[in-house]
Amino acid sequence: MWRDIDPRDDERERPDLSRGSGTRGDDTASTRAESGDALTRHLDLPRGSTRRPVRDRDRWIDLRESEVRMLATAGAFRVVVASDLRDHHGRPASASNGELRGLRGLVETRPYVIGQDRAALVTLTDRGRELLERHRRTDREVAPQTYYAGFVKPRELSHDAQLYRAYERSAERLKEKGAVVTRVVLDYELKRDYQRFLHDLKRERRGQEQDAERHAADVAEWAASRDLPVIDGHVHFPDVRIEYERPDGDRKVEDIEVVTPHYRGAYAAAKGRTGFSAYRISTGLGGRGGRSGRSPNPRIFEEFL
């Protein structure tokens, strides 16, 4: 897949690919990705099953739509299970062969055990994230999709690796209602914005007498402006926020919480009051999760409710 070519020798002979691959209309997948895939819709990268050359730093690489989506999915969710990704034939991706293996250098894979199941986890490298950013289109009407790189918070990998599964369930349900997903927001981004707000608020009130009620009111106003719940004085953040547009053009959000057997007591009760869509998962990878149905642990399910 990698082409070691001196771009100075080839620049005049190639089309300008800095803003895409010139492959729109390649096949029906182009229209689908442009209109319905929030993870790739703002990327000027190849559509369709035919690989096209893409500029990556000082070299060219060949990519097809399924590989672009692998990169965008790993970037949008920071970490995904390799087998949750799909190649251009619709088959589960493998870290040891096929398209995912061909993306080495743009993605990093790591063996991992979740429950009793072995899996390969995938994340973007800095180079992979840079490639997506380089080929991003700007859209002033929609906030840009954020892409992440690198493994973080090792203790939370088994939880975070299953966020994409929950997203797939919600996105499919929204699609059935005619909605179009426009962006995916992780709790990292929401919490980062909250910390910036608190920092700015502290700087603004520097030297003033501390007023707990006023501070709580400011926090509540900030949270309300972002459709985030405040329970017992604390702002709660979903694991994943899906921004979407309804058929009538109205823009809405759906917040997702991935619930593990570790959710207990007051913490679980508070999460149950947030109104987030809860996806219960077991500790392993054998099932695909689900939003409804019987919980694998009735006591945890009752506490969560």
Side-chain angles (χ1 to χ4, degrees), residues 60-72:
W60 300 87
I61 61 174
D62 290 335
L63 294 175
R64 59 162 60 106
E65 180 180 359
S66 55
E67 293 161 334
V68 171
R69 196 173 197 285
M70 287 182 184
L71 294 174

Side-chain angles (χ1 to χ4, degrees), residues 233-273:
H234 298 285
V235 180
H236 284 257
F237 302 91
D239 289 324
V240 180
R241 164 165 285 186
I242 300 177
E243 297 180 357
Y244 66 94
E245 186 174 304
R246 300 196 312 188
D248 60 5
D250 196 14
R251 293 179 178 177
K252 296 289 186 179
V253 300
E254 174 160 338
D255 292 329
I256 297 173
E257 186 77 15
V258 173
V259 183
T260 71
H262 301 291
Y263 280 55
R264 285 186 169 86
Y267 180 75
K271 285 295 183 181
R273 293 160 55 194

Side-chain angles (χ1 to χ4, degrees), residues 74-295:
F77 291 90
R78 189 182 284 277
V79 57
V80 294
V81 179
S83 59
D84 286 347
L85 303 173
R86 293 293 182 268
D87 65 15
H88 71 291
H89 293 298
R91 299 173 303 201
S94 170
S96 60
N97 55 62
E99 293 179 352
L100 186 58
R101 184 174 184 273
L103 294 175
R104 286 181 302 179
L106 300 177
V107 300
E108 176 187 354
T109 61
R110 175 183 296 182
Y112 196 77
V113 177
I114 302 179
Q116 297 180 346
D117 299 328
R118 295 181 180 275
L121 303 185
V122 184
T123 189
L124 282 186
T125 63
D126 289 336
R127 187 166 194 156
R129 181 177 181 274
E130 180 183 309
L131 182 141
L132 296 184
E133 296 294 346
R134 181 190 300 272
H135 295 277
R136 180 198 292 275
R137 293 196 308 269
T138 57
D139 185 342
R140 296 181 179 180
E141 295 185 359
V142 180
Q145 176 63 52
T146 300
Y147 298 113
Y148 302 89
F151 292 107
V152 297
K153 299 182 178 179
R155 293 184 178 181
E156 299 180 16
L157 281 178
S158 60
H159 170 273
D160 294 348
Q162 303 196 58
L163 299 183
Y164 176 57
R165 292 183 175 185
Y167 161 78
E168 281 188 305
R169 290 292 184 92
S170 281
E172 184 62 31
R173 180 166 46 80
L174 291 171
K175 182 179 178 181
E176 290 174 354
K177 296 180 179 180
V180 175
V181 176
T182 57
R183 191 166 76 114
V184 174
V185 183
L186 298 189
D187 63 346
Y188 299 100
E189 190 170 347
L190 296 170
K191 291 176 180 178
R192 180 200 63 194
D193 292 346
Y194 182 53
Q195 291 304 315
R196 287 176 177 172
F197 160 74
L198 293 178
H199 176 77
D200 292 342
L201 186 63
K202 183 178 180 180
R203 183 173 55 185
E204 179 184 334
R205 302 282 169 78
R206 186 174 299 168
Q208 299 181 19
E209 185 177 349
Q210 296 292 329
D211 187 333
E213 291 187 3
R214 184 180 178 186
H215 178 82
D218 289 335
V219 168
E221 181 180 356
W222 180 89
S225 69
R226 289 157 178 79
D227 294 322
L228 292 170
V230 178
I231 299 174
D232 299 329
H234 298 285
V235 180
H236 284 257
F237 302 91
D239 289 324
V240 180
R241 164 165 285 186
I242 300 177
E243 297 180 357
Y244 66 94
E245 186 174 304
R246 300 196 312 188
D248 60 5
D250 196 14
R251 293 179 178 177
K252 296 289 186 179
V253 300
E254 174 160 338
D255 292 329
I256 297 173
E257 186 77 15
V258 173
V259 183
T260 71
H262 301 291
Y263 280 55
R264 285 186 169 86
Y267 180 75
K271 285 295 183 181
R273 293 160 55 194
T274 60
F276 298 159
S277 296
Y279 287 80
R280 296 177 297 278
I281 60 173
S282 65
T283 56
L285 294 169
R288 295 287 297 177
R291 183 167 178 264
S292 61
R294 186 176 300 276
S295 167

